[in-house]
């Protein structure tokens, strides 16, 4: 049986408290299920931003997409999670990742571990937080085999990036098959999430591909437009593509960037 759709809005920058509050309330009105904040230096800090959102909303859930595990110590992060879980009346979902930006570790005056060491620490953090916050849904996002194995065995939500890890025709299907094999009996209840990197502006049918191109700078536009994470066309056409993703891959949770809030709100309306 297909899982219900869920839709997330990722908020990275804010101009003022009022602007953040207005955007959060607008997202809730449009039917977004989750408001999430990424964890990057130079962008808004996740916990104060989500606390502010919790104060002016009642239904939308709160998440991070995703916390860089290497920035935190488990007990201190656990304290912040507990506070936000209380202040949001139980609307928190926790997002974790291994971290990948060397420049951000250096700016934070933290050592930049090897990829293997970063995943080791993510595993340590996951075990601690799962033990201390067993009722808070956990999303782990990434693309590599070790992170996907960790997610398959311990997370409630799998954050898929659509990245091509192996030379296959359908990289999304390959990653989902990998998760299915790693999860075993856990797979069926898992929720699969995909970040959408490009959505047309209101009244337009072609998206701005600049964000998508950052991770695939050499691909021509037609290849970028064919990616699972790219939407184009009318709201109805975009809704049909998401329905196809759910039917073919089992992906039912989609996250978009905050500059797409209005046009994607029309997509949500088509699907509900």
């Amino acid at each position: 049986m297909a899982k219900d759709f869920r839709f997330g809005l990722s908020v990275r920058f804010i101009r003022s408290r009022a602007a953040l509050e207005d955007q959060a309330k607008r997202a809730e009105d449009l039917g977004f299920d989750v408001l999430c904040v990424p964890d990057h230096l130079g962008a808004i800090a996740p916990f104060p931003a989500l606390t502010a959102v919790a104060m002016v909303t009642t239904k939308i859930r709160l998440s991070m997409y995703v916390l860089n595990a290497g920035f935190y110590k488990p007990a201190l992060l656990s304290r912040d999670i507990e506070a936000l879980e209380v202040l949001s009346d139980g609307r928190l979902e926790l997002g974790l990742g291994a971290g990948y930006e060397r420049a951000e570790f250096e700016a934070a005056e933290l050592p930049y571990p090897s990829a293997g060491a970063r995943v080791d620490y993510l595993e340590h953090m996951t075990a601690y937080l799962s033990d201390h916050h067993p009722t808070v849904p956990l999303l782990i996002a990434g693309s590599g085999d070790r992170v996907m194995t960790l997610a398959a065995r311990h997370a409630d939500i799998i954050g898929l990036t659509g990245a091509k890890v192996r030379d296959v025709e359908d990289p999304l299907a390959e990653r989902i098959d990998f998760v299915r094999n790693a999860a075993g009996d856990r797979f069926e209840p898992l929720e699969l999430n995909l970040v959408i990197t490009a959505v047309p502006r209101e009244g337009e049918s072609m998206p701005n591909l600049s964000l998508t191109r950052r991770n695939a700078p050499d691909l021509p536009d037609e290849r970028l437009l064919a990616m699972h994470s790219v939407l184009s066309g009318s709201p109805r056409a975009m809704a049909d593509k998401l329905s196809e993703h759910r039917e073919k891959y089992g992906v039912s949770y989609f996250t978009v960037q905050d500059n797409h809030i209005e046009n994607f709100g029309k997509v949500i309306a088509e699907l509900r």
Side-chain angles (χ1 to χ4, degrees):
M1 180 180 296
K3 293 181 174 62
D4 291 339
F5 280 115
R6 288 211 304 160
F7 304 104
L9 185 74
S10 179
V11 177
R12 183 163 182 165
F13 303 104
I14 62 167
R15 301 184 305 278
S16 65
R17 186 183 77 179
L20 175 62
E21 292 176 350
D22 288 347
Q23 189 168 53
K25 289 186 281 189
R26 180 62 176 155
E28 193 168 67
D29 290 343
L30 287 170
F32 283 90
D33 301 281
V34 184
L35 187 144
C36 61
V37 178
D39 190 17
H40 292 290
L41 295 183
I44 187 172
F47 281 95
L50 292 171
T51 300
V53 169
M55 298 297 101
V56 297
T57 57
T58 59
K59 296 180 295 183
I60 199 165
R61 297 183 67 79
L62 313 173
S63 188
M64 312 87 180
Y65 207 108
V66 287
L67 292 178
N68 180 344
F71 282 177
Y72 305 93
K73 294 297 183 183
L76 298 177
L77 180 56
S78 177
R79 178 183 63 178
D80 289 348
I81 291 168
E82 177 65 25
L84 185 51
E85 174 74 348
V86 170
L87 293 172
S88 67
D89 294 325
R91 287 184 281 148
L92 179 62
E93 298 183 4
L94 176 63
L96 289 177
Y100 60 91
E101 291 277 4
R102 175 189 290 272
E104 292 193 2
F105 279 84
E106 292 174 349
E109 300 184 18
L110 294 170
Y112 183 65
S114 67
R118 296 198 306 277
V119 178
D120 287 343
Y121 192 74
L122 174 62
E123 186 170 11
H124 169 62
M125 182 72 80
T126 297
Y128 185 97
L129 296 179
S130 296
D131 183 53
H132 287 76
H133 305 279
T135 64
V136 177
L138 172 63
L139 176 149
I140 294 178
S143 57
D145 286 358
R146 283 195 63 203
V147 172
M148 289 289 94
T149 298
L150 178 63
R153 293 176 179 173
H154 299 285
D156 304 291
I157 309 163
I158 310 296
L160 300 160
T161 66
K164 191 171 187 177
V165 175
R166 291 184 173 84
D167 188 17
V168 295
E169 183 176 344
D170 191 336
L172 181 60
E174 187 275 332
R175 286 292 82 188
I176 292 171
D177 284 344
F178 183 92
V179 169
R180 180 183 290 106
N181 291 332
D185 293 340
R186 291 191 81 246
F187 183 77
E188 189 59 33
L190 292 180
E191 185 177 41
L192 303 181
N193 170 273
L194 180 65
V195 172
I196 301 298
T197 59
V199 176
R201 294 180 180 177
E202 268 194 295
E204 299 181 3
S205 61
M206 296 298 290
N208 183 327
L209 296 171
S210 58
L211 179 60
T212 311
R213 187 172 283 109
R214 290 181 191 176
N215 295 319
D218 299 325
L219 290 184
D221 284 0
E222 58 268 23
R223 293 276 301 279
L224 296 178
L225 287 167
M227 285 184 169
H228 303 98
S229 60
V230 173
L231 298 179
S232 59
S234 67
R236 180 67 258 169
M238 291 187 277
D240 288 344
K241 183 170 183 177
L242 297 186
S243 294
E244 290 169 6
H245 284 351
R246 185 173 68 168
E247 181 178 353
K248 182 175 181 179
Y249 302 106
V251 179
S252 58
Y253 176 15
F254 299 91
T255 301
V256 301
Q257 307 304 305
D258 57 352
N259 58 315
H260 302 313
I261 182 172
E262 294 297 335
N263 206 28
F264 197 78
K266 297 178 180 178
V267 179
I268 294 174
E270 292 282 354
L271 292 167
R272 289 187 169 154

PDB file of all heavy atoms in Angstrom, residues 65-98:
ATOM      1  N   TYR A  65      17.472  19.475   8.103  1.00  0.00           N
ATOM      2  CA  TYR A  65      17.869  18.687   6.925  1.00  0.00           C
ATOM      3  C   TYR A  65      19.242  19.142   6.463  1.00  0.00           C
ATOM      4  O   TYR A  65      19.342  19.911   5.531  1.00  0.00           O
ATOM      5  CB  TYR A  65      16.858  18.845   5.794  1.00  0.00           C
ATOM      6  CG  TYR A  65      16.854  17.632   4.878  1.00  0.00           C
ATOM      7  CD1 TYR A  65      15.804  16.746   4.881  1.00  0.00           C
ATOM      8  CD2 TYR A  65      17.934  17.382   4.030  1.00  0.00           C
ATOM      9  CE1 TYR A  65      15.822  15.633   4.048  1.00  0.00           C
ATOM     10  CE2 TYR A  65      17.956  16.273   3.208  1.00  0.00           C
ATOM     11  CZ  TYR A  65      16.882  15.407   3.225  1.00  0.00           C
ATOM     12  OH  TYR A  65      16.911  14.301   2.417  1.00  0.00           O
ATOM     13  N   VAL A  66      20.267  18.575   7.083  1.00  0.00           N
ATOM     14  CA  VAL A  66      20.306  17.768   8.291  1.00  0.00           C
ATOM     15  C   VAL A  66      21.386  18.332   9.196  1.00  0.00           C
ATOM     16  O   VAL A  66      22.267  19.071   8.747  1.00  0.00           O
ATOM     17  CB  VAL A  66      20.639  16.282   7.984  1.00  0.00           C
ATOM     18  CG1 VAL A  66      19.467  15.572   7.333  1.00  0.00           C
ATOM     19  CG2 VAL A  66      21.888  16.146   7.130  1.00  0.00           C
ATOM     20  N   LEU A  67      21.326  17.972  10.490  1.00  0.00           N
ATOM     21  CA  LEU A  67      22.393  18.385  11.386  1.00  0.00           C
ATOM     22  C   LEU A  67      23.694  17.686  11.006  1.00  0.00           C
ATOM     23  O   LEU A  67      23.709  16.495  10.718  1.00  0.00           O
ATOM     24  CB  LEU A  67      22.040  18.034  12.827  1.00  0.00           C
ATOM     25  CG  LEU A  67      20.881  18.793  13.471  1.00  0.00           C
ATOM     26  CD1 LEU A  67      20.652  18.263  14.885  1.00  0.00           C
ATOM     27  CD2 LEU A  67      21.133  20.290  13.492  1.00  0.00           C
ATOM     28  N   ASN A  68      24.773  18.445  11.026  1.00  0.00           N
ATOM     29  CA  ASN A  68      26.104  17.889  10.810  1.00  0.00           C
ATOM     30  C   ASN A  68      26.558  17.277  12.130  1.00  0.00           C
ATOM     31  O   ASN A  68      26.911  17.984  13.065  1.00  0.00           O
ATOM     32  CB  ASN A  68      27.049  19.009  10.370  1.00  0.00           C
ATOM     33  CG  ASN A  68      28.468  18.541  10.128  1.00  0.00           C
ATOM     34  OD1 ASN A  68      28.862  17.456  10.539  1.00  0.00           O
ATOM     35  ND2 ASN A  68      29.251  19.368   9.467  1.00  0.00           N
ATOM     36  N   ALA A  69      26.533  15.957  12.226  1.00  0.00           N
ATOM     37  CA  ALA A  69      26.826  15.287  13.485  1.00  0.00           C
ATOM     38  C   ALA A  69      28.176  15.707  14.058  1.00  0.00           C
ATOM     39  O   ALA A  69      28.344  15.811  15.277  1.00  0.00           O
ATOM     40  CB  ALA A  69      26.790  13.771  13.293  1.00  0.00           C
ATOM     41  N   GLY A  70      29.142  15.992  13.186  1.00  0.00           N
ATOM     42  CA  GLY A  70      30.478  16.342  13.642  1.00  0.00           C
ATOM     43  C   GLY A  70      30.576  17.667  14.363  1.00  0.00           C
ATOM     44  O   GLY A  70      31.598  17.963  14.990  1.00  0.00           O
ATOM     45  N   PHE A  71      29.536  18.495  14.293  1.00  0.00           N
ATOM     46  CA  PHE A  71      29.534  19.785  14.976  1.00  0.00           C
ATOM     47  C   PHE A  71      29.154  19.669  16.450  1.00  0.00           C
ATOM     48  O   PHE A  71      29.232  20.655  17.186  1.00  0.00           O
ATOM     49  CB  PHE A  71      28.537  20.740  14.321  1.00  0.00           C
ATOM     50  CG  PHE A  71      29.017  21.367  13.031  1.00  0.00           C
ATOM     51  CD1 PHE A  71      28.170  22.206  12.314  1.00  0.00           C
ATOM     52  CD2 PHE A  71      30.285  21.140  12.542  1.00  0.00           C
ATOM     53  CE1 PHE A  71      28.588  22.796  11.129  1.00  0.00           C
ATOM     54  CE2 PHE A  71      30.719  21.727  11.361  1.00  0.00           C
ATOM     55  CZ  PHE A  71      29.863  22.551  10.653  1.00  0.00           C
ATOM     56  N   TYR A  72      28.718  18.502  16.906  1.00  0.00           N
ATOM     57  CA  TYR A  72      28.071  18.403  18.215  1.00  0.00           C
ATOM     58  C   TYR A  72      28.634  17.264  19.056  1.00  0.00           C
ATOM     59  O   TYR A  72      29.175  16.302  18.545  1.00  0.00           O
ATOM     60  CB  TYR A  72      26.556  18.162  18.034  1.00  0.00           C
ATOM     61  CG  TYR A  72      25.888  19.201  17.175  1.00  0.00           C
ATOM     62  CD1 TYR A  72      25.736  18.996  15.803  1.00  0.00           C
ATOM     63  CD2 TYR A  72      25.428  20.398  17.712  1.00  0.00           C
ATOM     64  CE1 TYR A  72      25.142  19.949  15.003  1.00  0.00           C
ATOM     65  CE2 TYR A  72      24.824  21.357  16.916  1.00  0.00           C
ATOM     66  CZ  TYR A  72      24.694  21.130  15.562  1.00  0.00           C
ATOM     67  OH  TYR A  72      24.108  22.085  14.754  1.00  0.00           O
ATOM     68  N   LYS A  73      28.428  17.407  20.386  1.00  0.00           N
ATOM     69  CA  LYS A  73      28.638  16.314  21.326  1.00  0.00           C
ATOM     70  C   LYS A  73      27.268  15.739  21.681  1.00  0.00           C
ATOM     71  O   LYS A  73      26.296  16.485  21.844  1.00  0.00           O
ATOM     72  CB  LYS A  73      29.345  16.807  22.592  1.00  0.00           C
ATOM     73  CG  LYS A  73      30.772  17.287  22.358  1.00  0.00           C
ATOM     74  CD  LYS A  73      31.671  16.159  21.864  1.00  0.00           C
ATOM     75  CE  LYS A  73      33.110  16.616  21.702  1.00  0.00           C
ATOM     76  NZ  LYS A  73      33.971  15.527  21.159  1.00  0.00           N
ATOM     77  N   PRO A  74      27.154  14.440  21.795  1.00  0.00           N
ATOM     78  CA  PRO A  74      25.832  13.831  21.945  1.00  0.00           C
ATOM     79  C   PRO A  74      24.999  14.372  23.101  1.00  0.00           C
ATOM     80  O   PRO A  74      23.816  14.677  22.929  1.00  0.00           O
ATOM     81  CB  PRO A  74      26.158  12.347  22.133  1.00  0.00           C
ATOM     82  CG  PRO A  74      27.443  12.152  21.404  1.00  0.00           C
ATOM     83  CD  PRO A  74      28.208  13.418  21.626  1.00  0.00           C
ATOM     84  N   ALA A  75      25.574  14.497  24.289  1.00  0.00           N
ATOM     85  CA  ALA A  75      24.776  14.922  25.440  1.00  0.00           C
ATOM     86  C   ALA A  75      24.277  16.355  25.282  1.00  0.00           C
ATOM     87  O   ALA A  75      23.153  16.679  25.683  1.00  0.00           O
ATOM     88  CB  ALA A  75      25.588  14.779  26.725  1.00  0.00           C
ATOM     89  N   LEU A  76      25.114  17.226  24.712  1.00  0.00           N
ATOM     90  CA  LEU A  76      24.700  18.618  24.532  1.00  0.00           C
ATOM     91  C   LEU A  76      23.628  18.733  23.452  1.00  0.00           C
ATOM     92  O   LEU A  76      22.662  19.495  23.591  1.00  0.00           O
ATOM     93  CB  LEU A  76      25.916  19.473  24.180  1.00  0.00           C
ATOM     94  CG  LEU A  76      27.006  19.531  25.253  1.00  0.00           C
ATOM     95  CD1 LEU A  76      28.195  20.351  24.769  1.00  0.00           C
ATOM     96  CD2 LEU A  76      26.458  20.108  26.549  1.00  0.00           C
ATOM     97  N   LEU A  77      23.781  17.987  22.374  1.00  0.00           N
ATOM     98  CA  LEU A  77      22.755  17.988  21.344  1.00  0.00           C
ATOM     99  C   LEU A  77      21.461  17.394  21.894  1.00  0.00           C
ATOM    100  O   LEU A  77      20.362  17.903  21.605  1.00  0.00           O
ATOM    101  CB  LEU A  77      23.226  17.181  20.131  1.00  0.00           C
ATOM    102  CG  LEU A  77      22.247  17.095  18.957  1.00  0.00           C
ATOM    103  CD1 LEU A  77      21.845  18.475  18.466  1.00  0.00           C
ATOM    104  CD2 LEU A  77      22.859  16.285  17.814  1.00  0.00           C
ATOM    105  N   SER A  78      21.569  16.370  22.712  1.00  0.00           N
ATOM    106  CA  SER A  78      20.399  15.752  23.318  1.00  0.00           C
ATOM    107  C   SER A  78      19.618  16.752  24.155  1.00  0.00           C
ATOM    108  O   SER A  78      18.374  16.755  24.146  1.00  0.00           O
ATOM    109  CB  SER A  78      20.830  14.565  24.180  1.00  0.00           C
ATOM    110  OG  SER A  78      19.730  13.983  24.835  1.00  0.00           O
ATOM    111  N   ARG A  79      20.320  17.622  24.863  1.00  0.00           N
ATOM    112  CA  ARG A  79      19.645  18.650  25.667  1.00  0.00           C
ATOM    113  C   ARG A  79      18.821  19.573  24.786  1.00  0.00           C
ATOM    114  O   ARG A  79      17.669  19.897  25.094  1.00  0.00           O
ATOM    115  CB  ARG A  79      20.675  19.461  26.454  1.00  0.00           C
ATOM    116  CG  ARG A  79      20.087  20.577  27.288  1.00  0.00           C
ATOM    117  CD  ARG A  79      21.163  21.386  27.978  1.00  0.00           C
ATOM    118  NE  ARG A  79      22.044  22.064  27.011  1.00  0.00           N
ATOM    119  CZ  ARG A  79      23.042  22.868  27.366  1.00  0.00           C
ATOM    120  NH1 ARG A  79      23.316  23.070  28.650  1.00  0.00           N
ATOM    121  NH2 ARG A  79      23.794  23.441  26.446  1.00  0.00           N
ATOM    122  N   ASP A  80      19.387  20.005  23.647  1.00  0.00           N
ATOM    123  CA  ASP A  80      18.656  20.891  22.741  1.00  0.00           C
ATOM    124  C   ASP A  80      17.455  20.181  22.115  1.00  0.00           C
ATOM    125  O   ASP A  80      16.390  20.784  21.927  1.00  0.00           O
ATOM    126  CB  ASP A  80      19.584  21.400  21.642  1.00  0.00           C
ATOM    127  CG  ASP A  80      20.612  22.400  22.157  1.00  0.00           C
ATOM    128  OD1 ASP A  80      20.459  22.873  23.304  1.00  0.00           O
ATOM    129  OD2 ASP A  80      21.554  22.708  21.416  1.00  0.00           O
ATOM    130  N   ILE A  81      17.627  18.924  21.781  1.00  0.00           N
ATOM    131  CA  ILE A  81      16.524  18.148  21.218  1.00  0.00           C
ATOM    132  C   ILE A  81      15.379  18.047  22.214  1.00  0.00           C
ATOM    133  O   ILE A  81      14.201  18.235  21.867  1.00  0.00           O
ATOM    134  CB  ILE A  81      17.016  16.747  20.805  1.00  0.00           C
ATOM    135  CG1 ILE A  81      17.960  16.856  19.603  1.00  0.00           C
ATOM    136  CG2 ILE A  81      15.851  15.815  20.504  1.00  0.00           C
ATOM    137  CD1 ILE A  81      18.716  15.583  19.317  1.00  0.00           C
ATOM    138  N   GLU A  82      15.705  17.759  23.458  1.00  0.00           N
ATOM    139  CA  GLU A  82      14.676  17.651  24.493  1.00  0.00           C
ATOM    140  C   GLU A  82      13.913  18.957  24.655  1.00  0.00           C
ATOM    141  O   GLU A  82      12.680  18.970  24.746  1.00  0.00           O
ATOM    142  CB  GLU A  82      15.320  17.251  25.822  1.00  0.00           C
ATOM    143  CG  GLU A  82      14.351  17.178  26.991  1.00  0.00           C
ATOM    144  CD  GLU A  82      13.315  16.076  26.831  1.00  0.00           C
ATOM    145  OE1 GLU A  82      13.596  15.095  26.113  1.00  0.00           O
ATOM    146  OE2 GLU A  82      12.227  16.199  27.422  1.00  0.00           O
ATOM    147  N   ALA A  83      14.628  20.071  24.655  1.00  0.00           N
ATOM    148  CA  ALA A  83      13.966  21.367  24.818  1.00  0.00           C
ATOM    149  C   ALA A  83      13.032  21.662  23.647  1.00  0.00           C
ATOM    150  O   ALA A  83      11.887  22.100  23.842  1.00  0.00           O
ATOM    151  CB  ALA A  83      15.013  22.472  24.947  1.00  0.00           C
ATOM    152  N   LEU A  84      13.494  21.425  22.417  1.00  0.00           N
ATOM    153  CA  LEU A  84      12.662  21.717  21.256  1.00  0.00           C
ATOM    154  C   LEU A  84      11.480  20.760  21.171  1.00  0.00           C
ATOM    155  O   LEU A  84      10.385  21.146  20.755  1.00  0.00           O
ATOM    156  CB  LEU A  84      13.500  21.648  19.982  1.00  0.00           C
ATOM    157  CG  LEU A  84      12.797  22.044  18.677  1.00  0.00           C
ATOM    158  CD1 LEU A  84      12.097  23.395  18.794  1.00  0.00           C
ATOM    159  CD2 LEU A  84      13.796  22.065  17.527  1.00  0.00           C
ATOM    160  N   GLU A  85      11.659  19.532  21.581  1.00  0.00           N
ATOM    161  CA  GLU A  85      10.554  18.583  21.602  1.00  0.00           C
ATOM    162  C   GLU A  85       9.459  19.057  22.559  1.00  0.00           C
ATOM    163  O   GLU A  85       8.263  18.985  22.254  1.00  0.00           O
ATOM    164  CB  GLU A  85      11.077  17.198  22.006  1.00  0.00           C
ATOM    165  CG  GLU A  85      10.020  16.130  22.208  1.00  0.00           C
ATOM    166  CD  GLU A  85       9.400  15.607  20.915  1.00  0.00           C
ATOM    167  OE1 GLU A  85       9.610  16.203  19.842  1.00  0.00           O
ATOM    168  OE2 GLU A  85       8.674  14.612  20.997  1.00  0.00           O
ATOM    169  N   VAL A  86       9.854  19.601  23.699  1.00  0.00           N
ATOM    170  CA  VAL A  86       8.881  20.125  24.663  1.00  0.00           C
ATOM    171  C   VAL A  86       8.214  21.392  24.130  1.00  0.00           C
ATOM    172  O   VAL A  86       6.980  21.531  24.154  1.00  0.00           O
ATOM    173  CB  VAL A  86       9.570  20.398  26.017  1.00  0.00           C
ATOM    174  CG1 VAL A  86       8.630  21.165  26.950  1.00  0.00           C
ATOM    175  CG2 VAL A  86      10.012  19.095  26.671  1.00  0.00           C
ATOM    176  N   LEU A  87       9.012  22.327  23.626  1.00  0.00           N
ATOM    177  CA  LEU A  87       8.481  23.615  23.174  1.00  0.00           C
ATOM    178  C   LEU A  87       7.585  23.491  21.943  1.00  0.00           C
ATOM    179  O   LEU A  87       6.744  24.352  21.696  1.00  0.00           O
ATOM    180  CB  LEU A  87       9.638  24.572  22.891  1.00  0.00           C
ATOM    181  CG  LEU A  87      10.445  25.003  24.116  1.00  0.00           C
ATOM    182  CD1 LEU A  87      11.680  25.796  23.686  1.00  0.00           C
ATOM    183  CD2 LEU A  87       9.592  25.826  25.069  1.00  0.00           C
ATOM    184  N   SER A  88       7.775  22.433  21.174  1.00  0.00           N
ATOM    185  CA  SER A  88       6.952  22.236  19.977  1.00  0.00           C
ATOM    186  C   SER A  88       5.770  21.305  20.233  1.00  0.00           C
ATOM    187  O   SER A  88       5.062  20.938  19.283  1.00  0.00           O
ATOM    188  CB  SER A  88       7.810  21.657  18.851  1.00  0.00           C
ATOM    189  OG  SER A  88       8.239  20.338  19.151  1.00  0.00           O
ATOM    190  N   ASP A  89       5.564  20.909  21.473  1.00  0.00           N
ATOM    191  CA  ASP A  89       4.481  19.972  21.815  1.00  0.00           C
ATOM    192  C   ASP A  89       4.606  18.670  21.032  1.00  0.00           C
ATOM    193  O   ASP A  89       3.626  18.132  20.504  1.00  0.00           O
ATOM    194  CB  ASP A  89       3.103  20.599  21.568  1.00  0.00           C
ATOM    195  CG  ASP A  89       2.814  21.772  22.499  1.00  0.00           C
ATOM    196  OD1 ASP A  89       3.249  21.716  23.671  1.00  0.00           O
ATOM    197  OD2 ASP A  89       2.166  22.737  22.065  1.00  0.00           O
ATOM    198  N   GLY A  90       5.840  18.180  20.934  1.00  0.00           N
ATOM    199  CA  GLY A  90       6.058  16.870  20.342  1.00  0.00           C
ATOM    200  C   GLY A  90       6.066  16.837  18.833  1.00  0.00           C
ATOM    201  O   GLY A  90       5.854  15.774  18.242  1.00  0.00           O
ATOM    202  N   ARG A  91       6.370  17.963  18.190  1.00  0.00           N
ATOM    203  CA  ARG A  91       6.347  18.008  16.719  1.00  0.00           C
ATOM    204  C   ARG A  91       7.726  17.846  16.087  1.00  0.00           C
ATOM    205  O   ARG A  91       7.894  18.042  14.884  1.00  0.00           O
ATOM    206  CB  ARG A  91       5.732  19.329  16.251  1.00  0.00           C
ATOM    207  CG  ARG A  91       4.229  19.406  16.446  1.00  0.00           C
ATOM    208  CD  ARG A  91       3.674  20.698  15.875  1.00  0.00           C
ATOM    209  NE  ARG A  91       3.882  21.827  16.756  1.00  0.00           N
ATOM    210  CZ  ARG A  91       4.076  23.079  16.347  1.00  0.00           C
ATOM    211  NH1 ARG A  91       4.142  23.349  15.049  1.00  0.00           N
ATOM    212  NH2 ARG A  91       4.242  24.046  17.221  1.00  0.00           N
ATOM    213  N   LEU A  92       8.721  17.474  16.859  1.00  0.00           N
ATOM    214  CA  LEU A  92      10.086  17.427  16.354  1.00  0.00           C
ATOM    215  C   LEU A  92      10.375  16.131  15.605  1.00  0.00           C
ATOM    216  O   LEU A  92       9.960  15.045  16.016  1.00  0.00           O
ATOM    217  CB  LEU A  92      11.079  17.568  17.512  1.00  0.00           C
ATOM    218  CG  LEU A  92      12.566  17.518  17.140  1.00  0.00           C
ATOM    219  CD1 LEU A  92      12.941  18.673  16.213  1.00  0.00           C
ATOM    220  CD2 LEU A  92      13.427  17.552  18.397  1.00  0.00           C
ATOM    221  N   GLU A  93      11.098  16.261  14.489  1.00  0.00           N
ATOM    222  CA  GLU A  93      11.725  15.142  13.791  1.00  0.00           C
ATOM    223  C   GLU A  93      13.206  15.489  13.667  1.00  0.00           C
ATOM    224  O   GLU A  93      13.550  16.617  13.323  1.00  0.00           O
ATOM    225  CB  GLU A  93      11.098  14.928  12.419  1.00  0.00           C
ATOM    226  CG  GLU A  93       9.624  14.570  12.501  1.00  0.00           C
ATOM    227  CD  GLU A  93       8.989  14.277  11.158  1.00  0.00           C
ATOM    228  OE1 GLU A  93       9.710  14.266  10.135  1.00  0.00           O
ATOM    229  OE2 GLU A  93       7.761  14.046  11.129  1.00  0.00           O
ATOM    230  N   LEU A  94      14.063  14.550  13.933  1.00  0.00           N
ATOM    231  CA  LEU A  94      15.505  14.791  13.970  1.00  0.00           C
ATOM    232  C   LEU A  94      16.159  14.351  12.677  1.00  0.00           C
ATOM    233  O   LEU A  94      15.959  13.213  12.230  1.00  0.00           O
ATOM    234  CB  LEU A  94      16.112  14.039  15.157  1.00  0.00           C
ATOM    235  CG  LEU A  94      17.623  14.089  15.313  1.00  0.00           C
ATOM    236  CD1 LEU A  94      18.099  15.514  15.547  1.00  0.00           C
ATOM    237  CD2 LEU A  94      18.053  13.180  16.469  1.00  0.00           C
ATOM    238  N   GLY A  95      16.920  15.235  12.053  1.00  0.00           N
ATOM    239  CA  GLY A  95      17.656  14.893  10.848  1.00  0.00           C
ATOM    240  C   GLY A  95      19.156  14.918  11.095  1.00  0.00           C
ATOM    241  O   GLY A  95      19.679  15.892  11.645  1.00  0.00           O
ATOM    242  N   LEU A  96      19.853  13.871  10.697  1.00  0.00           N
ATOM    243  CA  LEU A  96      21.296  13.756  10.910  1.00  0.00           C
ATOM    244  C   LEU A  96      22.019  13.393   9.622  1.00  0.00           C
ATOM    245  O   LEU A  96      21.492  12.673   8.778  1.00  0.00           O
ATOM    246  CB  LEU A  96      21.607  12.664  11.948  1.00  0.00           C
ATOM    247  CG  LEU A  96      21.260  12.904  13.408  1.00  0.00           C
ATOM    248  CD1 LEU A  96      21.589  11.653  14.213  1.00  0.00           C
ATOM    249  CD2 LEU A  96      21.997  14.114  13.963  1.00  0.00           C
ATOM    250  N   GLY A  97      23.249  13.903   9.508  1.00  0.00           N
ATOM    251  CA  GLY A  97      24.133  13.537   8.414  1.00  0.00           C
ATOM    252  C   GLY A  97      25.563  13.545   8.901  1.00  0.00           C
ATOM    253  O   GLY A  97      25.871  14.016  10.003  1.00  0.00           O
ATOM    254  N   ALA A  98      26.473  13.054   8.069  1.00  0.00           N
ATOM    255  CA  ALA A  98      27.871  12.918   8.477  1.00  0.00           C
ATOM    256  C   ALA A  98      28.677  14.195   8.304  1.00  0.00           C
ATOM    257  O   ALA A  98      29.781  14.311   8.846  1.00  0.00           O
ATOM    258  CB  ALA A  98      28.527  11.789   7.685  1.00  0.00           C
TER     259      ALA A  98
END
